[in-house]
Amino acid sequence: MAIVGADTGGTFTDLILLENGKIRVHKLLSTPHDPAEAILAGLDALDAGLDADVVHGSTVATNAVLERKGAVTALVTNAGFEDVLLIGRQNRTDLYDLHYRRSPGIVPEHLRFGIPGRVASTGEEVEPFDDDAARRAAEAVRESGAESVAVCLLFSFLAPAHELRMAEILRETCPGATLSLSHRVLAEFREYERTATTTINAYVAPRMNRYLANLRAAVPAGLRIMQSNGGTISAATAAEEPVRTVLSGPAGGVVGALAVGRAAGFDRLMTFDMGGTSTDVALLDNGLPLATGTTLSGYPVRTPMIDIHTVGAGGGSIASLDAGGSLVVGPQSAGADPGPVCYGKGGRVTVTDANLFLGRLSAEHFLGGRMRLDAERTRRAVERMAREAGLAPTALAEGILQVADSNMERALRVISVERGFDPGEFTLLSFGGAGGLHCSSLARLLGVPRVLVPNNPGLLSALGMLMADVVKDYSLTVMHDAADLAPAALERAFAPLEARALDEMALEGFQAGQVRLERALDMRYAGQSFELTTPLEPDRAPAETFAELHERAYGHRMTGRAVQVVTLRLRAVGPAAVAPPAPRREGPPKVAAAARKGFVQAVFEGREHETPVLDRDQLLPGNAFAGPALVVEYSSTVAVPPWARAEVDACGNLLLFVS
């Protein structure tokens, strides 16, 4: 049986085919107008048969929100709460910007409808549902032309009867509309966050449905979608809850990094995923770093996701001069079209162009020699920009890389130093098509002792999707004092969530005995406004675990203060069938002659060096060499500077040691 991982990026679409224990890979330029076009072309290039399952990391939901290209969406809520999305929270993202204006909402005023009926915070009905008023609201929704409807009623997660009845009326009145019900999308308190998450789901659902329907028609075997939480779900589930896929591509890379790092003997990792458009970083301290939400285009999205920090720095990031003549790199990207200058169509110098100009990329070996870079066109563009900046061309190119490195270094410090972690205690795991060109410099800046670059680093996100478990997350706000939740009470509280989880995992193809259920509680001290997610540990009181986590996060615990259990969390996991690569037999320290592909003149720190080009496919475990060197392979190039040395470990990973 064959299985394909497909990751759609801003510049390249990556595919990796696993069949009978053998791997084949393909990388091609993305097709932003229709991401499926590149995926289908890649499947054809890999000659993946009709029986190949596909696991896909989709950017459709994210792009629909960022570009404001989602469906015409209506919101039905309680009368008097129609403006909850507009009011939001009092936080201002740009506190000192005197010209700050909030971006237009995705649901304008004429598409927000209120209906009578009210459920209290105890779950009791305090005002009955009004069928006639609900039908009038549904008629107004139909006349508005809305394609999708978000239904978010007060405390529906405690008593969903009003939402369910509203959904029945909407299905009768607006049969073609897509419905998103808040008690299904997010069964948690905080009305603004729940309404925003449900509305985002409704906004992107029609577009995601069309995209997945077209893709499923072209992929007759199984199609699974990567979620933001590091697990996969069926395409049918993703079509219903697309809000769970907003960070699916980067999540695949982190899952793959954890598997590869553990196989190499490293549990504490900082992941560095530099692609064509952006760079994603995460800190893995013996496991996946999970968060309960993020902000997308100004809206809170409260779904479980891997904690990933993103900056607008990638190989395609455009270099420019600001009004004062200072060099700026990114966040604007050349993307897949027109792409960097060296791809043949772009006209503005990018990070990739700077690397090529300095000899840190080989024009003949890009994408395994299948895509030749235009070095002469790049030289003219860099020299033209250097004249504008009043710099020597080499100084300009190195300056572009230094500015890009500075942006990425700050991102890595956000997830490490600013959270109390010492980068020197971690291994930097570098991947993405451009990661190998910058990882050694970043390790040196951060004081990280080693860098691990896996095989096919430009395709690790796609590989991670193959390694990802099937995961579904559930939550329910309960608001109890921890002292009142004895073990028996916790069992009763989790029982409905676990029953639902097992039923839905059965639809994903797993029997009850195959599913691992992981429980956690969102807890806080009485009077606090924020919670810490606390895993339930056997033979230990949840309040003790919470106090320990609180002290680790904030430096103290509040002895004697009551502890509240705010929300129950359940994670259902079905194990993946794909394992990381097994170790191979170690070879000699000396690099074989077959691995040497010639020399290039590369510039490092202002000096030109005769730099050997090594074919990574010909390197063996045990091989070791000192920089400078360029290690080329199909999906990426690794630049080993003069102040670094490299070894190939038993799994075929390249380990770089910087000084």
Side-chain angles (χ1 to χ4, degrees):
M1 178 180 171
I3 183 170
V4 178
D7 176 38
T8 301
T11 304
F12 283 98
T13 292
D14 307 325
L15 296 97
I16 185 162
L17 169 67
L18 177 62
E19 187 173 20
N20 300 323
K22 296 182 179 179
I23 283 178
R24 284 187 286 140
V25 299
H26 189 67
K27 199 175 182 76
L28 71 165
L29 289 172
S30 294
T31 49
H33 62 281
D34 180 8
E37 187 177 307
I39 293 173
L40 297 178
L43 291 173
D44 286 341
L46 286 171
D47 194 24
L50 297 178
D51 60 340
D53 290 336
V54 175
V55 185
H56 174 32
S58 170
T59 59
V60 171
T62 311
N63 292 342
V65 179
L66 295 177
E67 299 169 6
R68 290 294 197 267
K69 292 182 179 178
V72 177
T73 302
L75 170 64
V76 177
T77 186
N78 297 86
F81 284 79
E82 297 90 342
D83 294 332
V84 67
L85 280 179
L86 180 66
I87 297 169
R89 300 289 179 191
Q90 65 180 354
N91 305 336
R92 282 181 55 169
T93 53
D94 296 299
L95 189 60
Y96 300 106
D97 183 358
L98 298 179
H99 302 286
Y100 172 77
R101 293 293 183 272
R102 296 180 66 173
S103 59
I106 58 176
V107 182
E109 184 177 1
H110 72 278
L111 289 174
R112 302 196 293 264
F113 305 94
I115 60 171
R118 183 70 67 90
V119 171
S121 60
T122 59
E124 297 175 340
E125 182 183 79
V126 294
E127 182 182 345
F129 187 84
D130 187 329
D131 264 45
D132 292 336
R135 290 186 186 281
R136 288 193 296 272
E139 285 290 343
V141 170
R142 183 181 61 79
E143 292 172 3
S144 73
E147 302 173 65
S148 190
V149 187
V151 182
C152 190
L153 302 180
L154 288 172
F155 301 106
S156 58
F157 55 89
L158 296 176
H162 288 191
E163 274 195 2
L164 292 170
R165 179 57 185 148
M166 188 69 229
E168 289 177 6
I169 293 172
L170 285 166
R171 290 190 185 99
E172 295 168 5
T173 310
C174 314
T178 302
L179 300 185
S180 295
L181 308 182
S182 73
H183 76 276
R184 295 287 298 181
V185 175
L186 183 65
E188 297 181 25
F189 80 140
R190 295 193 173 103
E191 291 305 314
Y192 170 56
E193 285 76 9
R194 185 158 54 91
T195 303
T197 303
T198 306
T199 304
I200 291 287
N201 192 78
Y203 185 68
V204 301
R207 184 169 175 178
M208 190 71 155
N209 282 337
R210 290 190 292 270
Y211 174 72
L212 292 178
N214 293 336
L215 198 54
R216 275 185 288 185
V219 181
L223 175 63
R224 304 195 65 79
I225 304 299
M226 191 73 190
Q227 297 179 93
S228 311
N229 64 6
T232 67
I233 48 176
S234 65
T237 303
E240 290 180 5
E241 299 183 12
V243 72
R244 299 186 182 276
T245 70
V246 294
L247 289 178
S248 66
V254 177
V255 170
L258 179 63
V260 168
R262 281 179 169 170
F266 303 107
D267 284 325
R268 306 189 80 197
L269 304 165
M270 286 196 295
T271 67
F272 168 58
D273 176 8
M274 184 179 179
T277 305
S278 61
T279 292
D280 302 304
V281 298
L283 186 138
L284 282 61
D285 191 10
N286 297 297
L288 293 177
L290 293 174
T292 56
T294 188
T295 300
L296 180 63
S297 192
Y299 287 98
V301 176
R302 292 280 296 179
T303 58
M305 57 187 62
I306 294 178
D307 189 5
I308 297 171
H309 185 65
T310 303
V311 291
S317 293
I318 294 172
S320 61
L321 302 174
D322 67 13
S326 297
L327 184 61
V328 178
V329 180
Q332 186 180 359
S333 172
D337 187 13
V341 173
C342 60
Y343 288 7
K345 291 195 295 182
R348 302 179 67 183
V349 176
T350 67
V351 172
T352 296
D353 297 314
N355 275 304
L356 178 63
F357 182 83
L358 294 170
R360 301 185 193 183
L361 268 178
S362 171
E364 292 78 19
H365 296 98
F366 193 74
L367 284 185
R370 300 182 197 183
M371 180 177 174
R372 185 179 177 86
L373 301 179
D374 193 333
E376 179 58 27
R377 193 169 186 271
T378 300
R379 181 188 64 78
R380 293 196 301 269
V382 172
E383 289 177 349
R384 183 169 57 250
M385 186 177 178
R387 287 193 295 272
E388 295 174 10
L391 295 171
T394 298
L396 172 70
E398 288 206 289
I400 290 171
L401 300 189
Q402 288 168 3
V403 172
D405 285 348
S406 178
N407 293 337
M408 295 182 290
E409 179 198 1
R410 281 197 297 271
L412 286 162
R413 288 190 182 279
V414 166
I415 63 165
S416 58
V417 176
E418 292 186 14
R419 298 180 183 178
F421 293 98
D422 178 4
E425 297 176 357
F426 288 79
T427 297
L428 184 67
L429 198 150
S430 171
F431 58 104
L437 297 170
H438 296 260
C439 57
S440 295
S441 297
L442 288 171
R444 195 185 197 190
L445 289 168
L446 289 161
V448 174
R450 75 186 70 80
V451 180
L452 188 153
V453 185
N455 282 301
N456 295 307
L459 294 144
L460 187 66
S461 290
L463 179 63
M465 292 170 193
L466 301 185
M467 297 177 175
D469 296 326
V470 177
V471 176
K472 293 184 74 86
D473 286 295
Y474 304 87
S475 61
L476 178 65
T477 294
V478 292
M479 288 293 186
H480 284 299
D481 287 338
D484 297 337
L485 276 181
L490 273 177
E491 289 293 330
R492 289 193 299 271
F494 273 103
L497 289 181
E498 294 184 347
R500 178 184 167 192
L502 294 176
D503 287 344
E504 294 187 5
M505 290 298 284
L507 298 176
E508 301 283 341
F510 291 91
Q511 298 177 358
Q514 299 174 296
V515 179
R516 184 174 76 252
L517 298 176
E518 301 173 355
R519 296 176 177 181
L521 303 173
D522 281 1
M523 305 180 74
R524 67 186 183 189
Y525 287 116
Q528 290 183 325
S529 299
F530 299 96
E531 302 83 46
L532 288 175
T533 299
T534 306
L536 283 179
E537 301 177 1
D539 303 322
R540 191 177 190 193
E544 294 178 10
T545 307
F546 164 74
E548 183 178 292
L549 290 176
H550 192 279
E551 185 170 21
R552 187 186 307 167
Y554 302 113
H556 68 99
R557 61 178 73 194
M558 298 183 184
T559 305
R561 178 73 66 89
V563 176
Q564 292 178 326
V565 174
V566 176
T567 299
L568 309 179
R569 296 199 178 275
L570 181 70
R571 190 172 175 88
V573 181
V578 178
R584 295 180 289 168
R585 187 164 53 187
E586 192 165 311
K590 187 176 181 180
V591 175
R596 300 184 180 276
K597 309 293 286 186
F599 292 86
V600 295
Q601 297 300 313
V603 176
F604 294 94
E605 297 181 331
R607 293 182 56 196
E608 191 171 84
H609 299 262
E610 186 175 57
T611 303
V613 179
L614 305 178
D615 182 354
R616 184 162 184 181
D617 292 338
Q618 299 297 323
L619 296 179
L620 300 173
N623 285 173
F625 54 93
L630 295 187
V631 182
V632 297
E633 59 179 298
Y634 173 69
S635 70
S636 185
T637 295
V638 179
V640 184
W643 35 265
R645 59 185 179 86
E647 297 176 3
V648 182
D649 74 2
C651 296
N653 302 305
L654 196 63
L655 286 172
L656 307 178
F657 300 91
V658 301
S659 59

